[in-house]
Amino acid sequence: MTILEFIKYISIVVIGLLPIMNPLTTIPLYMALTQKMTAETRQRQARKACLYAFCILTIFLLLGNGIISLFGISMPGIRVAGGLIILILALRMIFSGLDSSSSVDTEPDEIKHANLDYSFSPLAMPSLAGPGSIAVIMGFGSQIPEGSHILGDAIVITGIAITIGIAYLALSSASYIEKFLGEHGMQAVTKIMGFLLTCVAVQFLASGIRDFYIEFAKM
């Protein structure tokens, strides 16, 4: 395989994964969850979330079918679970404008230094490495020809790394967005984005329930 072909296949992975992952939809969730954290802690959350998302997608690429078979998990089940998690957080954003990271029973100065960890759930999973992203990665893995798994896996993993890098840049820019909007602007955006996340959650749930129905109808 030539370098141009290698780049071509990596680009296909990035183009296929990036719209499904859509890091822009994670920004409002990230901003709401980390609003009372220090700048350093927020950056750490972004780094950890992206690292976890990379590991999750890589594991599902290499061991996805085995994991699903071992635990008896189906993609509809992952969709429904992810939808429920996002729905709960989205409703909190709508009705309070904030999330649980701001409801710690302590003084304001201490709240700002709250060390709550949201990097794995819900930022990495199901937001960045959600059911759609996992399905896309497993789909790419299933298209790797026999005898070319090492090279094929390397291409897909490189594509995942590039997409996660783009996601990290998006999350890192969230602080600049917050400074531009101000406190009241942030509250308004949080409520609007909470509504949009509610729509995403309902879509996750609807897709999962539909797929459950299709699976049971075949039995």
Side-chain angles (χ1 to χ4, degrees), residues 72-84 131 205 207-209 211-212 215:
I73 304 171
S74 64
M75 290 307 296
I78 295 176
R79 286 192 178 92
V80 171
L84 289 172
L205 290 169
S207 299
I209 293 170
D211 292 344
F212 269 129
E215 284 189 5

Side-chain angles (χ1 to χ4, degrees), residues 15-162:
I15 292 171
L17 180 59
L18 188 59
I20 302 298
M21 182 181 292
N22 195 2
L24 294 179
T25 61
T26 306
I27 288 179
L29 183 62
Y30 169 77
M31 292 170 73
L33 293 174
T34 63
Q35 190 171 12
K36 297 300 180 180
M37 296 181 181
T38 63
E40 181 182 352
T41 304
R42 297 179 73 175
Q43 289 297 317
R44 191 183 309 121
Q45 289 284 295
R47 286 194 300 270
K48 289 174 66 177
C50 291
L51 178 60
Y52 285 141
F54 173 79
C55 292
I56 290 167
L57 294 178
T58 301
I59 288 171
F60 270 96
L61 169 66
L62 301 176
L63 305 173
N65 292 327
I67 292 173
I68 288 176
S69 299
L70 178 63
F71 292 98
I73 304 171
S74 64
M75 290 307 296
I78 295 176
R79 286 192 178 92
V80 171
L84 289 172
I85 293 173
I86 294 177
L87 180 61
I88 292 170
L89 292 166
L91 291 175
R92 286 179 177 173
M93 291 168 67
I94 291 173
F95 292 113
S96 68
L98 301 168
D99 202 78
S100 58
S101 60
S102 62
S103 60
V104 182
D105 186 18
T106 185
E107 297 297 324
D109 289 338
E110 294 176 306
I111 291 175
K112 293 180 180 179
H113 295 84
N115 194 28
L116 303 176
D117 193 345
Y118 297 102
S119 57
F120 185 82
S121 177
L123 292 177
M125 188 175 189
S127 191
L128 292 175
S133 300
I134 291 172
V136 168
I137 290 304
M138 292 181 66
F140 280 125
S142 66
Q143 296 178 36
I144 298 175
E146 288 293 333
S148 303
H149 279 287
I150 294 178
L151 181 59
D153 289 342
I155 290 173
V156 178
I157 290 172
T158 303
I160 294 172
I162 292 173

Side-chain angles (χ1 to χ4, degrees), residues 24 28-29 90 93-94 188-198:
L24 294 179
L29 183 62
M93 291 168 67
I94 291 173
V189 170
T190 298
K191 290 180 182 291
I192 293 170
M193 290 303 180
F195 172 74
L196 295 178
L197 282 174
T198 302

